[in-house]
Amino acid sequence: MIVIDAASPTPPYEQLRAQLARQIQGRTLAVGTRLPTIRRLAADLGLAVNTVGRAYRELEEAGLIETRGRAGSFVSAGGEQSLEQARRAAHDYAAVVARVGIDAAEAIRIVKAALGQASTP
């Protein structure tokens, strides 16, 4: 279930993108699952078509979904690859943190700050 909080400082497209990404990466949405059309999802959520379109484009750029023309948008097997890529990057980061002597709490603060910057358009 997707919930968009109109009072949130996070833009609606980012709320939608993040929720779908979590569902894909958490395997709530399985590989091959057909997503609602952009127009349908926009109507269901009370969002502009362009807002949903932007979320879908960003998910596609991340390899989490693929669009097959008029057939629609589907959860991509690339989502598994993206998750594995993130795991490898986290492992590499942990090795660097250990090598330079940064404690775990500071390393997590660094990641949180980087994630906050990455989600800013």
Side-chain angles (χ1 to χ4, degrees):
M1 169 172 237
I2 303 289
V3 177
I4 303 300
D5 179 2
S8 173
T10 303
Y13 81 88
E14 177 57 22
Q15 292 180 53
L16 175 59
R17 187 210 58 78
Q19 289 179 57
L20 285 171
R22 276 193 298 275
Q23 289 181 16
I24 292 167
Q25 292 168 339
R27 296 180 179 85
T28 302
L29 289 173
V31 171
T33 300
R34 186 174 191 273
L35 299 175
T37 66
I38 290 172
R39 289 184 190 279
R40 168 84 179 231
L41 190 55
D44 289 349
L45 297 174
L47 297 173
V49 171
N50 288 341
T51 299
V52 176
R54 180 172 180 181
Y56 273 32
R57 278 190 306 278
E58 290 191 9
L59 290 166
E60 191 163 21
E61 288 170 9
L64 296 175
I65 68 171
E66 60 185 43
T67 301
R68 301 177 191 159
R70 296 184 76 59
S73 297
F74 298 82
V75 174
S76 169
E80 295 292 321
Q81 295 166 350
S82 296
L83 192 55
E84 183 54 35
Q85 183 180 7
R87 283 189 189 111
R88 282 194 307 271
H91 184 268
D92 292 346
Y93 176 68
V96 169
V97 164
R99 188 172 57 247
V100 299
I102 296 173
D103 70 39
E106 180 62 20
I108 290 169
R109 281 192 291 276
I110 292 168
V111 169
K112 286 181 178 180
L115 287 171
Q117 290 173 355
S119 67
T120 315

